[in-house]
Amino acid sequence: EGCPHPLGAVWIENERAFNFAIYSKAASAVRLLFFTPHDCVSSIFTYEFDPLRNKTGPVWHARVALDRIPNAVYYAYSIDGPGVEFRPQKLLLDPYAKEIAFPPAFDRTAAFGNDSNAGKAPLSLLPVTGSGFDWEDDCSPRHDGDLIVYELHVRGFTMNSNSGIEPPRRGTFQGVVEKIPYLRELGITAVELMPIFEFDPTEPNYWGYMPLNFFAPHHTYAADRSVKEFKSMVKALHRAGIEVILDVVYNHTGEGDELGPTFGFKGIDCWTYYMGSGDTARPYADFSGTGNTLNCANRAVRQLIVDSLRYWAREMHVDGFRFDLASVFSRNPDGSIDFDDPPIFGDIGSDPDLQNLRLIAEPWEGNLKYPNYELGEGRAKPHFPGTSWRQWNDRFRSAVRHFIKSDSGALAEFIMRLYGSSDFFPDSLPESSRPYQSLNYVDCHDGFTLYDLVAYTTLDSWNCGQVDGDAGIDDAIMSLRKRQVKNFFCVLMLANGTPMFRAGDEFLQTQYGNGNPYNVDGPLTWLDWNRLEAHRDVFRFFSKMIAFRKGHPSIGRSTFWRDDVHWYGVGRDVDLSGTSHAFAFCLQGSSVGDKDIYVLFNAYWEPLEFEIQEGDGWIRIADTFLESPNDFTEAPEPATVFVGGFYTAQPRSVVIFVSK
């Protein structure tokens, strides 16, 4: 009969058998098929579930002894039931499979229509019997005020031939391991891996945001095609003091709408897993902008998500999650929005394996026709219901871009973002939000790289000259572009909140103005490590600014700066008029055992003389107008001490002082 829990395939050592359990409330018949590596067409053994013996509630379950399937490596389901969504000729993936294999004859087109896809379908791997992984003394590092998130794509990080990684390990978890010395030199304290859930390798889906499964890592990201390689990467990063955060997609899958393929969920229990629209012509609700929306309010789907999170936390030692299009979690099954108490947040918050993990939300959805924007906490609706979750702050991104670009009317909001966005994360008594909940970023995978923001002109970017790209620019334009990149990074490192930047920004990685290469797997999206040597000065500045932030706890506090910060203009008072492009602030550090910090921002295109308003002497640490290595002072000399008076901030520059 087997057991209805846990879901998925589990090896029972003392019985030398596998237990299988799958949720399908609407199914009328379930079959379990087993295959060998040499024949993915003909099942060596097929088990027909008897609903009187093998079904408890909505869960179908069976226990199969190893001696009945001695050569089997793969398994799949075949499920029938009422409605056109059930396609009993299709081989279906187990939603709880921990590894997935694509046979040599895999064909995406076979997943469409009603015909059999035997031999051409992805298959679930049986759990490996009697093996384990030695985590040794693995311990998750924990960074708070010094948390600096580095967003990277596992494949794109080391796939380029100039990455210094040997071909078999390029674009893999092992490639990330071999770059750990580089990550430590840069100084970041957490990597946020773009989606690594298994997806169809033949679909144009380079970014990975079209998952087929929520447990199995993408097979091509492991040089040896094993789950152990992911675990080895996590263990190595932990030993280096680096946290591992996964960008996870629980709002939709790669099965698309009624015109899309059937790999698993559709053929197992479609309207449990997906939200319906009520429109017979277009039956799938699409709040993700990808064709379907996961029905996150359904208790079976909530269990699936929590089980997936628990697996990655408990078995894979992951330290946190960034949830793609997390506002979908607020949707009720009918598409309405529950801002008060969506049940999945309680499920996640009450799970002991998840309570101390980093939870980061992208607090909006992907379909512009049905906007649901939830940035903020504890405010009037809308707001994101995940209490104390960090949230990607696109308002920070926009405000910083416009201010550094010298747009008019940008200063007031820029100051608010620098302070920690207390308008979205208020620290008044009812809300008691924290500034670290604002995940600050200027760029990410979605959009221009940091260099492209200063090399191509759009509404919120500027090429710093007359032409887009690098062709035909002179040294003066390149110098200005580097200065603007350093200005952006200064803001990111000086702002209260949690900073994040994308891999390659530290050496001016470019995508040549392509802001949406989600389907491009090639040199355009792979890091060009030759640029590291060409722009070593920028890398140096980034690493020094990271070290500066980590060395000054007064910046990234767990509380807002409040009375410890004083705002000034070029004189005593800040000019908040629409034509103002400059201001200064002094952050007093004595309350947290730190030195005072004084910063000048000049986003104007002419030099401005600032009157220093506090202190009897300051050591200049950084001036982005100066060329490397003078842009960041390695060991301050007496000449860098300025007593009272004035300092001229050059055009489009940031100047940083610390108290002597």
Side-chain angles (χ1 to χ4, degrees):
E1 294 183 8
C3 182
H5 56 80
L7 293 171
V10 179
W11 171 245
I12 310 298
E13 177 64 33
N14 61 348
E15 297 187 21
R16 305 296 293 171
F18 296 98
N19 191 84
F20 298 89
I22 188 169
Y23 182 101
S24 183
K25 179 174 63 176
S28 60
V30 176
R31 292 191 302 163
L32 184 59
L33 302 90
F34 297 89
F35 302 88
T36 68
H38 309 294
D39 187 353
C40 296
V41 178
S42 302
S43 170
I44 63 167
F45 178 70
T46 299
Y47 186 81
E48 297 273 357
F49 287 71
D50 178 354
L52 297 180
R53 298 177 64 249
N54 302 114
K55 184 173 184 288
T56 302
V59 178
W60 301 72
H61 47 84
R63 190 159 299 183
V64 180
L66 180 62
D67 59 11
R68 302 192 69 173
I69 50 170
N71 299 313
V73 174
Y74 311 129
Y75 70 99
Y77 285 96
S78 169
I79 299 179
D80 199 2
V84 298
E85 292 76 25
F86 284 102
R87 295 178 169 89
Q89 300 303 315
K90 299 294 187 189
L91 297 180
L92 304 173
L93 291 169
D94 181 355
Y96 279 76
K98 305 306 186 293
E99 294 182 78
I100 293 173
F102 293 83
F106 169 72
D107 185 351
R108 176 178 174 80
T109 62
F112 294 84
N114 296 314
D115 296 337
S116 172
N117 58 353
K120 303 177 180 180
L123 300 171
S124 305
L125 268 71
L126 288 167
V128 179
T129 60
S131 68
F133 179 80
D134 186 2
W135 283 101
E136 298 179 275
D137 57 350
D138 179 63
C139 181
S140 295
R142 182 73 182 187
H143 299 280
D144 291 306
D146 63 340
L147 179 63
I148 298 167
V149 183
Y150 186 73
E151 185 195 42
L152 69 85
H153 188 286
V154 169
R155 180 170 171 83
F157 191 53
T158 63
M159 192 60 196
N160 208 313
S161 60
N162 59 25
S163 66
I165 307 299
E166 291 300 312
R169 300 187 298 279
R170 289 177 191 161
T172 67
F173 301 126
Q174 181 59 36
V176 175
V177 172
E178 294 185 31
K179 286 292 185 182
I180 286 177
Y182 170 82
L183 298 176
R184 295 192 67 178
E185 182 184 4
L186 179 59
I188 57 94
T189 54
V191 292
E192 181 178 294
L193 305 182
M194 288 181 63
I196 62 161
F197 289 170
E198 190 64 270
F199 60 85
D200 176 358
T202 66
E203 182 184 13
N205 176 35
Y206 170 71
W207 282 352
Y209 287 99
M210 299 295 277
L212 299 183
N213 171 282
F214 303 133
F215 294 83
H218 187 55
H219 62 288
T220 68
Y221 290 171
D224 63 2
R225 299 295 192 265
S226 78
V227 173
K228 288 185 178 180
E229 187 171 320
F230 178 86
K231 295 180 178 180
S232 296
M233 177 195 68
V234 172
K235 185 167 74 170
L237 286 166
H238 283 177
R239 285 183 172 177
I242 298 173
E243 298 183 29
V244 179
I245 300 169
L246 296 188
D247 187 343
V248 290
V249 183
Y250 294 116
N251 59 83
H252 71 280
T253 75
E255 290 189 308
D257 57 18
E258 65 279 359
L259 302 177
T262 297
F263 288 112
F265 299 105
K266 274 186 180 179
I268 295 170
D269 197 348
C270 185
W271 302 120
T272 286
Y273 291 110
Y274 297 120
M275 293 175 57
S277 68
D279 181 354
T280 55
R282 301 297 302 273
Y284 291 82
D286 181 14
F287 298 111
S288 66
T290 63
N292 64 56
T293 305
L294 214 62
N295 189 5
C296 299
N298 182 282
R299 63 180 180 179
V301 178
R302 300 200 315 266
Q303 179 183 347
L304 173 70
I305 293 172
V306 172
D307 285 346
S308 170
L309 294 171
R310 186 187 301 116
Y311 171 76
W312 288 101
R314 180 189 295 170
E315 302 298 329
M316 308 295 252
H317 289 208
V318 163
D319 305 297
F321 303 94
R322 178 266 185 189
F323 294 81
D324 176 65
L325 305 181
S327 293
V328 166
F329 282 177
S330 303
R331 294 279 180 181
N332 294 313
D334 62 359
S336 60
I337 303 173
D338 182 354
F339 288 118
D340 297 319
D341 190 22
I344 192 169
F345 293 101
D347 293 350
I348 294 173
S350 62
D351 190 288
D353 287 309
L354 307 178
Q355 287 176 348
N356 294 318
L357 298 185
R358 299 203 185 280
L359 303 176
I360 304 170
E362 182 182 35
W364 52 80
E365 295 175 341
N367 193 327
L368 298 180
K369 292 176 60 178
Y370 308 100
N372 181 23
Y373 182 83
E374 297 182 353
L375 176 67
E377 180 176 288
R379 303 167 64 248
K381 298 176 183 177
H383 65 269
F384 188 72
T387 303
S388 78
W389 287 37
R390 286 172 168 83
Q391 300 175 34
W392 273 32
N393 190 343
D394 63 327
R395 292 291 295 269
F396 179 96
R397 174 196 66 191
S398 297
V400 173
R401 289 184 182 186
H402 287 296
F403 177 76
I404 297 299
K405 181 170 165 276
S406 304
D407 286 344
S408 297
L411 178 56
E413 184 172 2
F414 176 81
I415 293 175
M416 178 61 77
R417 303 297 153 240
L418 190 74
Y419 179 71
S421 296
S422 60
D423 52 342
F424 285 97
F425 302 97
D427 64 342
S428 56
L429 181 61
E431 294 89 358
S432 298
S433 301
R434 300 299 191 98
Y436 57 71
Q437 290 180 249
S438 173
L439 192 138
N440 301 331
Y441 67 104
V442 180
D443 69 323
C444 64
H445 69 274
D446 190 359
F448 280 180
T449 67
L450 198 59
Y451 178 70
D452 285 355
L453 284 174
V454 301
Y456 295 85
T457 296
T458 65
L459 288 176
D460 62 353
S461 65
W462 174 52
N463 64 23
C464 298
Q466 300 299 316
V467 297
D468 284 349
D470 289 348
I473 65 169
D474 57 25
D475 291 344
I477 290 179
M478 191 63 195
S479 177
L480 176 56
R481 288 179 177 179
K482 286 187 175 183
R483 191 191 325 158
Q484 290 289 76
V485 165
K486 290 186 285 187
N487 291 340
F488 276 130
F489 200 67
C490 280
V491 174
L492 191 63
M493 291 298 106
L494 292 169
N496 204 355
T498 302
M500 182 197 77
F501 65 103
R502 64 183 282 173
D505 282 344
E506 67 274 15
F507 51 73
L508 306 187
Q509 175 71 12
T510 180
Q511 291 175 170
Y512 304 98
N514 189 331
N516 191 30
Y518 70 94
N519 57 354
V520 180
D521 183 4
L524 177 72
T525 52
W526 302 342
L527 292 197
D528 180 1
W529 290 90
N530 287 339
R531 294 181 75 87
L532 173 60
E533 295 309 315
H535 305 296
R536 178 65 71 169
D537 55 330
V538 179
F539 173 86
R540 174 186 179 273
F541 188 86
F542 271 53
S543 64
K544 296 299 181 185
M545 277 304 304
I546 290 172
F548 180 79
R549 179 183 178 91
K550 290 161 67 174
H552 288 278
S554 62
I555 300 174
R557 305 187 191 188
S558 62
T559 58
F560 288 95
W561 295 336
R562 285 188 166 261
D563 294 339
D564 279 350
V565 67
H566 302 153
W567 307 100
Y568 302 110
V570 293
R572 170 161 289 278
D573 298 323
V574 182
D575 178 4
L576 294 177
S577 67
T579 58
S580 177
H581 300 280
F583 79 104
F585 75 89
C586 181
L587 180 60
Q588 297 178 341
S590 59
S591 63
V592 291
D594 196 4
K595 292 184 177 182
D596 297 343
I597 299 171
Y598 203 106
V599 183
L600 316 179
F601 287 95
N602 180 14
Y604 194 50
W605 44 91
E606 299 289 345
L608 294 175
E609 188 176 60
F610 283 76
E611 183 179 2
I612 307 300
Q613 300 295 321
E614 296 188 33
D616 58 358
W618 296 94
I619 300 172
R620 190 189 68 206
I621 297 297
D623 185 337
T624 62
F625 186 82
L626 302 176
E627 296 296 324
S628 183
N630 297 319
D631 55 353
F632 199 101
T633 305
E634 193 82 44
E637 300 175 358
T640 63
V641 178
F642 297 87
V643 179
F646 300 84
Y647 188 92
T648 299
Q650 297 300 321
R652 296 191 171 96
S653 67
V654 178
V655 184
I656 304 172
F657 303 97
V658 296
S659 55
K660 69 171 184 173

